[in-house]
Amino acid sequence: MTKQLIIRSLNYFILSTIFLVGCKSNEVKKIVGREQYSIPDSLYKTLAIDTVTKCQLANAITLTGKVTANDDNVVKVYPMVSGNVQDIKVVLGDYVNAGQILAVIKSSEMAGYSNDLVNAESNLRIAAKNLDKVKDLYKSGLASLTDSLSAEITLQQGKSELNRVNRVLKINGGNTQGEYVIKAPISGFIVEKFVTNNMTIRADNSTNLFTISDLKNVWVMANVYESSIDKVHLGDEVNVTTLSYPDRTFTGKVDKVFNVLDPTNKVMKLRIILSNTDYALKPEMFTSVTVFNKENKTAICISAKALIFDHSQYFVLVCDSKRHVSITPVQPISTLGDKAYIQSGITQGQQIVASQALLIYDQANN
């Protein structure tokens, strides 16, 4: 008895499936088999009519990523001397110009360099006067040639010492008031700040005081999982979107493929360099990265706006010279951005409706 019920249930399921498939097939046939619909002149003038073409087939993969500063345009500012920080003039996020003062350090080392300068200048003046005196004595026969040569050597040593002290002082800012003035080495934004007023710092500390980055171009570092490594290549075109600008797409190319996997999360990194002249992209922003990989194949391609999905089938509206449209089923391969790649259903050179397609489709069915 149980076996007979199972057989009846299976028969009922098979018949129901055949009936549903037949109904859907009939619905599609009815849609396609309707008489051609003529587009009114007023509506036709507002439509976009595209020509079916062939183009290079492309695949795409979507990755997660993050905006980072371009390391080639980043400068970390370290203290050259020890001392006490005074008068910080910038905060995190400020834009600074090259040479602009960032802060001042009161430093005993700078006072020492100033003292060395005074001593070197004094010794040089003494050596110059001593040489003049020895030359006069030599002319009078009261000093030897050796004494004269020794005085000249002392003068040269004094000049050399003064040059050395000036160079050291210049390296350390050139201030003779016992202060080290921290200046911006490049123009850009303060992206890191690890110093406050009255903080005591040491020159041998490995922590930088400021980090300045020119954000006119930035890097996007994308994560590629092992299963997708063979789908990305150097030079692939890339579209980048962010949560902050959902309607804006940043375009670029894969600039570098880091051919190692991160041991923690098992991903490979891709680098994309993007122009950022309006500073819209900011470090640490999360991004969605679409990488396009063009294949050595061609396919029929149309505007993605021309596709209509109804009754589990895709359609397009083929338009002839008399403004008649016919509903034509197509089989898409894939859709990337504003393009749809078609396997069958239409041929190159046909005209199709590429705007307000759903509106016309409904009117044609009614």
Side-chain angles (χ1 to χ4, degrees):
M1 185 67 179
T2 304
K3 185 176 181 180
Q4 290 178 350
L5 286 173
I6 292 172
I7 293 173
R8 288 179 182 177
S9 299
L10 286 173
N11 289 335
Y12 177 77
F13 175 75
I14 293 170
L15 290 174
S16 300
T17 303
I18 294 172
F19 176 76
L20 289 173
V21 170
C23 288
K24 287 186 178 179
S25 177
N26 290 333
E27 286 176 350
V28 172
K29 287 180 180 178
K30 287 179 182 178
I31 292 171
V32 176
R34 291 175 184 236
E35 293 183 1
Q36 289 184 335
Y37 170 75
S38 295
I39 304 175
D41 292 344
S42 58
L43 179 58
Y44 188 83
K45 293 177 181 178
T46 66
L47 297 179
I49 306 296
D50 284 352
T51 302
V52 178
T53 59
K54 276 193 174 182
C55 54
Q56 194 171 12
L57 184 62
N59 289 320
I61 179 173
T62 301
L63 311 170
T64 59
K66 186 173 70 172
V67 178
T68 66
N70 184 339
D71 286 349
D72 295 333
N73 296 328
V74 173
V75 174
K76 294 182 181 293
V77 181
Y78 290 90
M80 299 295 291
V81 297
S82 302
N84 188 265
V85 179
Q86 303 288 324
D87 193 20
I88 297 176
K89 298 181 180 297
V90 294
V91 297
L92 196 65
D94 279 356
Y95 183 85
V96 296
N97 294 305
Q100 182 176 332
I101 296 176
L102 306 180
V104 175
I105 300 175
K106 293 286 186 181
S107 171
S108 59
E109 291 179 36
M110 290 301 294
Y113 296 143
S114 299
N115 187 57
D116 291 342
L117 177 63
V118 172
N119 289 336
E121 290 173 342
S122 298
N123 291 336
L124 182 61
R125 285 194 297 269
I126 293 170
K129 289 181 179 180
N130 185 58
L131 178 61
D132 291 338
K133 181 180 178 182
V134 172
K135 284 183 176 180
D136 290 339
L137 292 173
Y138 175 71
K139 290 178 182 179
S140 303
L142 299 176
S144 65
L145 179 61
T146 301
D147 293 334
S148 178
L149 292 175
S150 178
E152 287 184 1
I153 291 172
T154 302
L155 179 64
Q156 294 301 322
Q157 289 175 341
K159 289 180 179 179
S160 177
E161 176 64 12
L162 180 60
N163 289 334
R164 184 192 70 81
V165 171
N166 277 321
R167 285 196 297 269
V168 171
L169 194 60
K170 185 177 180 180
I171 290 171
N172 290 281
N175 188 281
T176 58
Q177 307 301 316
E179 297 177 342
Y180 177 74
V181 180
I182 305 172
K183 296 182 179 180
I186 64 169
S187 297
F189 290 90
I190 303 293
V191 295
E192 289 181 338
K193 176 177 172 288
F194 300 110
V195 64
T196 59
N197 282 321
N198 302 313
M199 176 185 286
T200 301
I201 60 172
R202 290 175 10 192
D204 59 354
N205 194 332
S206 60
T207 303
N208 57 302
L209 304 181
F210 302 96
T211 300
I212 302 174
S213 176
D214 179 3
L215 298 177
K216 289 182 180 177
N217 61 72
V218 294
W219 290 352
V220 172
M221 305 299 292
N223 303 312
V224 185
Y225 288 95
E226 289 185 65
S227 58
S228 303
I229 288 178
D230 63 332
K231 298 179 178 65
V232 296
H233 311 84
L234 188 67
D236 284 350
E237 294 182 358
V238 174
N239 285 350
V240 177
T241 57
T242 64
L243 292 174
S244 302
Y245 312 102
D247 299 326
R248 184 174 178 183
T249 301
F250 302 87
T251 59
K253 291 185 177 181
V254 176
D255 175 70
K256 186 173 180 62
V257 178
F258 296 86
N259 291 302
V260 291
L261 293 180
D262 186 293
T264 304
N265 50 30
K266 299 298 181 182
V267 296
M268 183 181 76
K269 295 288 186 180
L270 290 183
R271 186 180 75 188
I272 302 106
I273 299 179
L274 296 180
S275 176
N276 190 37
T277 53
D278 60 351
Y279 304 117
L281 296 172
K282 296 168 177 56
E284 301 303 318
M285 272 187 173
F286 287 104
T287 62
S288 177
V289 180
T290 304
V291 182
F292 299 95
N293 176 26
K294 292 185 177 179
E295 300 180 0
N296 294 322
K297 299 178 182 178
T298 59
I300 294 293
C301 61
I302 61 173
S303 169
K305 295 179 180 179
L307 278 181
I308 304 162
F309 185 75
D310 191 24
H311 296 290
S312 303
Q313 171 71 50
Y314 284 96
F315 300 93
V316 296
L317 302 176
V318 178
C319 183
D320 62 21
S321 58
K322 297 180 180 180
R323 302 178 183 177
H324 297 155
V325 295
S326 56
I327 302 172
T328 305
V330 293
Q331 185 176 356
I333 301 173
S334 62
T335 301
L336 294 179
D338 60 349
K339 284 186 178 180
Y341 298 91
I342 306 300
Q343 182 174 338
S344 61
I346 51 177
T347 57
Q348 185 177 358
Q350 286 184 303
Q351 301 286 314
I352 60 171
V353 177
S355 67
Q356 304 186 59
L358 186 59
L359 172 66
I360 298 173
Y361 175 81
D362 290 337
Q363 291 181 355
N365 278 323
N366 291 330

